[in-house]
Amino acid sequence: MEKKDTATSGGPVQEPSTVSADSAPVKKNKAKAGGPPSGFYIYIGPNIRGLIQNGNIYRGTRASVLAALQTAIEKYPLIKTLVIPGDSLPAAHQKVKTSGNALHANYVKLAGQVKDGRRKEAAANG
């Protein structure tokens, strides 16, 4: 579509500059190489009161996220398996709900561990 000068001065026709898709520079983020393109991770496990909640979002590399969750992982090591890249969230969310895969098995195991831990705390507190 051409942009025309509608002034009565009889000026020249102005054409907008066009940039083809081929000439656009391609930028690659080398800092994220090996990690997910989105650059964030999500915890999809059960809520653990005082430690971590389902749906928590963490930015950075997997190593930095796991370092930030170190205290929770020391208490419940299965948390590490339920921290997933943001790009794979839809598929992982379905797997957690469907039996017969590792994500579902780890979710169920972790939920059982949390429940047992609460029972022990309740028994100890009277």
Side-chain angles (χ1 to χ4, degrees), residues 39-85:
F40 68 96
Y41 289 84
I42 301 173
Y43 172 69
I44 60 169
N47 291 337
I48 304 174
R49 198 175 308 146
L51 286 178
I52 194 168
Q53 290 189 347
N54 183 297
N56 278 5
I57 299 172
Y58 303 93
R59 293 204 168 271
T61 64
R62 183 162 176 84
S64 67
V65 170
L66 295 179
L69 295 173
Q70 190 60 36
T71 57
I73 292 171
E74 287 174 1
K75 190 166 185 179
Y76 298 105
L78 286 175
I79 288 174
K80 184 191 298 189
T81 64
L82 295 168
V83 175
I84 55 130

Side-chain angles (χ1 to χ4, degrees), residues 4 6-7 12-13 29 31 36 41 43 47 55 64 66 68 73 75 93 98 100 104 106 115 119-120 122 124:
K4 296 182 180 180
T6 58
V13 175
N29 188 350
Y41 289 84
Y43 172 69
N47 291 337
S64 67
L66 295 179
I73 292 171
K75 190 166 185 179
H93 191 63
T98 309
H104 178 76
N106 289 341
K115 190 181 260 187
R119 283 189 197 140
K120 288 178 184 177

Side-chain angles (χ1 to χ4, degrees), residues 4-12:
K4 296 182 180 180
D5 186 9
T6 58
T8 57
S9 65

Side-chain angles (χ1 to χ4, degrees), residues 79-103:
I79 288 174
K80 184 191 298 189
T81 64
L82 295 168
V83 175
I84 55 130
D87 292 339
S88 63
L89 178 63
H93 191 63
Q94 288 297 328
K95 285 182 180 181
V96 165
K97 293 181 178 182
T98 309
S99 62
N101 60 66
L103 282 177

